[in-house]
Amino acid sequence: MDGRAARPSTPANRLVLTARIAEIGALRFTPVGLPAIDLRLEHESQSEEAGQPRQVKLALKAVAFGAGAERIARLTLGSAWRWKGFLAVHGKSKYPVFHIQEFQEFQQD
């Protein structure tokens, strides 16, 4: 890989992550009545970087709205899922939050 890539026609902000549920907040409602839930996800895997194996561990704050929030409220702590969404920074925070748009149960081989 030489660092050059085809130039996309629009900017992209899409994250796909397999992670376990470490914490789930209480289901709440936004001021306009939309269901919302906060959670913390934990990921652990091994990747290759510069030809060397690298152990990867991370924790990430996440949020979901609407029907997805209602589904997440019924999930089990510690269960593994494949999450899809985007990253955004809230208010004055400098840390990104993963906005979950889709998810499905992760079946490990």
Side-chain angles (χ1 to χ4, degrees), residues 43-57:
H43 168 88
E44 189 172 338
S45 66
Q46 185 168 318
S47 293
E48 188 174 306
E49 183 174 42
Q52 299 296 314
R54 177 176 179 165
Q55 191 67 27
V56 178
K57 290 184 182 183

Side-chain angles (χ1 to χ4, degrees), residues 2-15:
D2 64 6
R4 292 180 292 182
R7 192 175 232 174
S9 59
T10 58
N13 179 356
R14 188 80 174 139
L15 178 63

Side-chain angles (χ1 to χ4, degrees), residues 37-102:
I37 197 161
D38 297 303
L39 59 158
R40 188 171 58 87
L41 304 175
E42 291 181 346
H43 168 88
E44 189 172 338
S45 66
Q46 185 168 318
S47 293
E48 188 174 306
E49 183 174 42
Q52 299 296 314
R54 177 176 179 165
Q55 191 67 27
V56 178
K57 290 184 182 183
L58 65 93
L60 184 62
K61 286 185 179 182
V63 66
F65 297 96
E70 293 174 322
R71 280 184 58 210
I72 289 170
R74 296 187 299 270
L75 299 180
T76 305
L77 283 176
S79 59
W81 297 80
R82 181 178 170 94
W83 311 93
K84 295 180 182 181
F86 63 92
L87 295 173
V89 175
H90 293 202
K92 295 180 181 181
S93 174
K94 56 184 171 183
Y95 301 105
V97 174
F98 183 25
H99 285 244
I100 297 167
Q101 296 175 303
E102 303 172 41

Side-chain angles (χ1 to χ4, degrees), residues 12-25:
N13 179 356
R14 188 80 174 139
L15 178 63
V16 178
L17 181 70
T18 301
R20 295 191 178 281
I21 301 171
E23 293 176 11
I24 302 176

